[in-house]
Amino acid sequence: MAFLPSWTCVIVGCLSASLAVTSNLSDLYPPLWEEGPSQFSDYRMKDGQYIINAWVYPERMGMYKILLTQTARYFERFAPENEQNTLWRLPLQHGWQCSTLFFITIVFQYIQGTQYNNKKCPLTFSSACGLNYFLCVLPFLAVVDSGVMGISSHQVTLLSPPRDQYLFCFNVSTCRSSFLETMNKWNAFYQHLKLPSSTFEDLLKYLWAAHTSVLTDTLKTFESRIKLKNCFMKRGQKFKEGKRDEIFGYCASDFPTTLIRTHDFQKGLSPWMLVTGDTAPFISDFTDFGNKIL
Ligand SMILES: *[C@@H]1O[C@H](CO)[C@@H](O)[C@H](O)[C@H]1NC(C)=O
Ligand SMILES: *[C@@H]1O[C@H](CO)[C@@H](O)[C@H](O)[C@H]1NC(C)=O
């Protein structure tokens, strides 16, 4: 996959210039952050396992909330209120996709037949996009596996979508067998998280190794099995071939993905897929900051 390393310095430059003055960090949380589950016991339990439906937005946000809450203690030494938790990028990106109508998935059919009822965030079905699923589920199952959560790796089961189950994995052991390298990289991140000697830069390094591994590992799977372009739609049109790297350019930029920085960065991201003729910095329906980033 082609990454765009040159973005990184541009982006970091923009960010440094535009960090928000924030009085209350909770204003920066993703949409409906407060409404989802915030601990394992908020999920259903069956036969000693927590059953999570990652195909609906609140339950998926709940997974992120548990992840952020349970890792907060390791980031306390960097800043108060969990602000420096580098995992913020995961829920913020997901919330942004939802709230900006950026990702619409044609894999939408997955959701038909599942209990989908969320008027405030009508793009919940964007969660069905396969890549998004893994961006959430692999770090989540890896943290369970790492021992950070204090529960056994047998205790979490994700529900399968109504169709195309063969594309996905639903518990620690099956995700480990399909995506061993990525699960190991996430595990390495969590092990370093636990070490008091790890620096913030160390943690970023392990985080990015794990995160980019999810992208490359699962894109391989998905490109061979479904047409990824069908995961995206813009302004009523079909996703264009060749634009994918613009999205993943964001994912690949290794800037500190803390709460404030990620939030501010996302303000500059395109709320739409670009089309031919969109020329930054003159795209009329983007913010100034968005045009500048592009
Ligand atoms: C921040 O906002 C939340 C939710 O609106 C509120 O519960 C909390 O008390 C606020 N914190 C501060 C420090 O104002
Ligand atoms: C994980 O999923 C596989 C396949 O669905 C199943 O055979 C296995 O029993 C599950 N493991 C646990 C611990 O639930």
Side-chain angles (χ1 to χ4, degrees):
M1 183 170 47
F3 288 139
L4 306 172
S6 58
W7 275 44
T8 310
C9 53
V10 177
I11 287 164
V12 170
C14 289
L15 274 172
S16 319
S18 72
L19 288 182
V21 179
T22 304
S23 54
N24 191 334
L25 289 177
S26 70
D27 296 343
L28 309 185
Y29 293 167
L32 309 183
W33 182 252
E34 304 302 337
E35 294 187 19
S38 36
Q39 52 203 350
F40 280 104
S41 57
D42 293 337
Y43 289 103
R44 268 168 306 135
M45 194 167 203
K46 191 170 170 240
D47 302 330
Q49 290 187 318
Y50 298 105
I51 312 290
I52 301 178
N53 184 357
W55 305 99
V56 297
Y57 181 90
E59 294 209 20
R60 188 173 301 185
M61 251 329 157
M63 297 163 76
Y64 286 129
K65 209 187 322 182
I66 293 173
L67 180 61
L68 268 291
T69 311
Q70 295 292 319
T71 52
R73 60 184 180 277
Y74 304 114
F75 290 95
E76 269 165 13
R77 62 204 160 99
F78 303 118
E81 295 187 68
N82 210 16
E83 194 280 316
Q84 289 286 299
N85 195 323
T86 51
L87 292 162
W88 273 116
R89 82 169 303 287
L90 299 173
L92 285 173
Q93 184 186 22
H94 187 57
W96 165 74
Q97 289 160 354
C98 172
S99 62
T100 62
L101 315 193
F102 188 93
F103 274 54
I104 298 181
T105 177
I106 297 300
V107 191
F108 170 51
Q109 292 97 319
Y110 288 139
I111 287 306
Q112 296 178 343
T114 64
Q115 126 210 59
Y116 165 64
N117 178 21
N118 186 346
K119 293 194 177 58
K120 280 199 234 168
C121 187
L123 282 188
T124 299
F125 50 81
S126 69
S127 328
C129 183
L131 185 62
N132 266 352
Y133 176 83
F134 290 112
L135 283 172
C136 174
V137 160
L138 298 184
F140 185 79
L141 291 177
V143 79
V144 170
D145 200 27
S146 73
V148 165
M149 297 290 181
I151 63 171
S152 125
S153 60
H154 306 305
Q155 277 182 280
V156 177
T157 293
L158 298 156
L159 292 182
S160 52
R163 47 173 288 225
D164 292 345
Q165 290 88 352
Y166 73 100
L167 288 170
F168 302 98
C169 60
F170 309 105
N171 61 29
V172 170
S173 63
T174 56
C175 289
R176 275 190 71 80
S177 51
S178 298
F179 301 103
L180 181 63
E181 193 185 332
T182 298
M183 290 288 279
N184 282 344
K185 285 186 175 167
W186 272 109
N187 197 35
F189 168 74
Y190 297 124
Q191 297 313 324
H192 281 85
L193 200 52
K194 289 194 261 184
L195 294 178
S197 57
S198 294
T199 64
F200 189 74
E201 287 68 32
D202 289 337
L203 296 179
L204 267 187
K205 195 178 73 188
Y206 284 100
L207 177 80
W208 281 105
H211 184 70
T212 53
S213 179
V214 178
L215 296 174
T216 48
D217 225 2
T218 57
L219 273 175
K220 259 185 284 173
T221 306
F222 271 81
E223 285 192 325
S224 62
R225 294 182 187 176
I226 59 171
K227 292 205 180 314
L228 185 74
K229 63 182 178 182
N230 285 344
C231 284
F232 308 99
M233 223 154 66
K234 99 138 277 274
R235 296 173 187 149
Q237 296 171 342
K238 281 278 171 67
F239 180 66
K240 286 174 102 167
E241 204 84 68
K243 292 293 184 190
R244 196 192 68 201
D245 288 343
E246 291 175 12
I247 303 170
F248 296 121
Y250 163 55
C251 303
S253 51
D254 55 349
F255 71 95
T257 50
T258 58
L259 178 57
I260 293 175
R261 280 173 175 264
T262 308
H263 176 271
D264 282 8
F265 176 51
Q266 288 189 167
K267 282 198 302 201
L269 285 176
S270 161
W272 304 106
M273 291 305 302
L274 300 178
V275 285
T276 312
D278 279 345
T279 311
F282 308 112
I283 305 173
S284 58
D285 54 358
F286 280 21
T287 60
D288 288 349
F289 182 52
N291 269 305
K292 204 160 124 194
I293 278 206
L294 278 175

